[in-house]
Amino acid sequence: MIYLNNAATTVQKPPAVAEAVVAAMAGAGSCSRGAADDDLAAARSVAAARSGIARLIGFAHPERVAFTLNATMALNTAIFGLLRRGDHVITTDFEHNSVLRPLHELERRGVIELDYLPADASGRLRMEELDGLFRPNTRAVVATHASNLTGAVIDARALADAAHARDALFVLDAAQTLGAWPVDMGAVGADVVCFTGHKGLMGPQGTGGLAVAPGVDVAPLVHGGTGVRSADPFQPDTYPEHLEAGTVNAQGLAGLAAALGFISETGVDRIAAHETALRARFVERVRGLDGFRVLGGSDGHDHTGVVALDVAGEDSSRVADRLAFEFGVATRAGLHCAPRMHAALGTLGRGAVRFSFGWFTTEDDVDAAADALAAIAAGR
């Protein structure tokens, strides 16, 4: 099977990741819950992952990197932990439901008011409308770094600057970019960066987290044991314990630390160049195929290694099934948890077929997928 669903999760990972997880399963104890050798081994693995994330995003405060199960939990932690009754929030049409649903829930409860920076029918984020969305009570701008549907990368710095000019916060969802695209927390001006371990970072599922800038306080989403200050009746104020209730996934984070080591050695710029070159190769091959349309392919944005195709007159899942069962190409069909983006592109009713490339994807994989689409197009 040719696996082209890396925007959902990376299946092909550096060998060191599995080796680190297996070693941790055999010899890691409970982080911050003991002083035996096995417990200290777990603590060292978690510390290595924390430091690795901080280095990757150019963040000088690794203690303010808190781990969660995934980007969804990280975003919920940030959104519910930062917003207060009466706040106004700006988000975008690019967003995944991991951003949209927490915001919708707060809006339904009457806690916040919500506006969207729209995308046009070509998949371009309409940045010229941003200034008009701010209100005196705007508390935060929450945005994905790149669309998980089209791969379009936003101008995060422009969003951050606009927010900060009005004393608002900027929360960046880096689920689609961290590890696969340069993310510098200071350079983009993010107050909070949320991430997951199992996509571009090439780590295990069940790992993710958020980096919180000094001076920004996020109220805990979960309260409980931390292994420190046990006599305190409330969640500690110190990071990372402030946002890390319960025993962390030391085995998964050992794998994430190994993945971060591989990324550091390989270089994010090199990874991004590889994936974007594969994207360009694929787009060149499929752009003229009868019945297929590249979504957001010429929208003025940079792109990660993601391509979504609209299939004229046919449900996207039927094409994805043919790709998988007839040609051995794994993709993802449907709405990709991005309903507003599909609405902007006119594909809300039928979805799209998404191809997403990773570091271990080859040119032969891309060519085989393009040949499969050509065969489907010729037979329609």
Side-chain angles (χ1 to χ4, degrees):
M1 178 68 74
I2 296 171
Y3 188 82
L4 301 180
N5 192 21
N6 291 280
T9 196
T10 49
V11 169
Q12 297 162 291
K13 303 182 189 293
V17 173
E19 293 167 4
V21 172
V22 171
M25 291 292 292
S30 187
C31 177
S32 300
R33 270 59 170 194
D37 288 345
D38 289 351
D39 299 323
L40 294 176
R44 284 191 289 270
S45 293
V46 174
R50 209 182 305 279
S51 296
I53 290 290
R55 282 193 301 271
L56 183 62
I57 62 174
F59 188 43
H61 303 276
E63 75 283 358
R64 294 183 70 85
V65 175
F67 289 120
T68 64
L69 293 175
N70 43 49
T72 298
M73 188 171 177
L75 286 160
N76 272 263
T77 300
I79 289 168
F80 282 94
L82 288 172
L83 300 178
R84 305 180 292 248
R85 185 167 297 277
D87 284 342
H88 170 249
V89 180
I90 298 169
T91 189
T92 84
D93 278 352
F94 275 26
E95 303 312 307
H96 188 278
N97 276 334
S98 295
V99 169
L100 294 176
R101 285 179 172 167
L103 292 175
H104 290 163
E105 180 61 28
L106 288 174
E107 184 183 39
R108 178 169 65 176
R109 295 180 190 178
V111 176
I112 66 167
E113 298 173 302
L114 185 60
D115 278 310
Y116 304 89
L117 182 62
D120 63 23
S122 73
R124 182 185 68 89
L125 199 60
R126 298 172 64 172
M127 295 292 292
E128 65 274 14
E129 298 188 21
L130 176 61
D131 286 345
L133 297 177
F134 283 93
R135 306 180 189 177
N137 62 328
T138 300
R139 167 72 169 160
V141 176
V142 184
T144 186
H145 199 190
S147 167
N148 74 311
L149 176 59
T150 68
V153 180
I154 69 165
D155 186 347
R157 184 75 218 193
L159 291 178
D161 287 348
H164 294 158
R166 296 160 177 86
D167 295 322
L169 299 168
F170 178 53
V171 178
L172 184 70
D173 173 9
Q176 288 296 317
T177 51
L178 200 58
W181 193 269
V183 180
D184 186 296
M185 188 170 177
V188 301
D191 297 290
V192 180
V193 172
C194 299
F195 62 90
T196 194
H198 67 100
K199 299 181 190 286
L201 288 175
M202 296 184 280
Q205 294 176 353
T207 61
L210 63 165
V212 182
V216 177
D217 186 42
V218 178
L221 182 69
V222 180
H223 300 251
T226 57
V228 298
R229 300 189 181 183
S230 296
D232 193 332
F234 302 106
Q235 199 69 14
D237 292 331
T238 54
Y239 282 75
E241 296 85 8
H242 186 58
L243 300 179
E244 281 185 358
T247 302
V248 297
N249 178 8
Q251 288 85 4
L253 292 173
L256 181 60
L260 288 162
F262 176 85
I263 290 168
S264 177
E265 293 174 5
T266 305
V268 173
D269 289 340
R270 186 179 168 202
I271 293 170
H274 173 72
E275 295 181 12
T276 53
L278 293 178
R279 182 187 192 278
R281 184 184 185 95
F282 183 73
V283 168
E284 181 67 24
R285 289 285 310 275
V286 305
R287 192 183 293 279
L289 292 179
D290 183 44
F292 292 96
R293 175 174 65 102
V294 176
L295 296 173
S298 57
D299 51 27
H301 292 279
D302 289 328
H303 289 81
T304 62
V306 175
V307 181
L309 297 180
D310 178 25
V311 187
E314 192 167 352
D315 187 272
S316 59
S317 62
R318 291 175 59 86
V319 175
D321 286 348
R322 290 195 63 188
L323 286 167
F325 297 112
E326 295 179 29
F327 300 95
V329 178
T331 61
R332 186 179 175 195
L335 298 183
H336 311 89
C337 300
R340 293 190 67 89
M341 193 60 175
H342 275 283
L345 294 167
T347 53
L348 189 59
R350 59 186 176 275
V353 183
R354 185 186 68 188
F355 300 75
S356 49
F357 314 121
W359 172 247
F360 292 101
T361 307
T362 67
E363 290 184 348
D364 287 344
D365 294 335
V366 168
D367 291 344
D371 289 343
L373 284 171
I376 292 172
R380 294 179 76 219

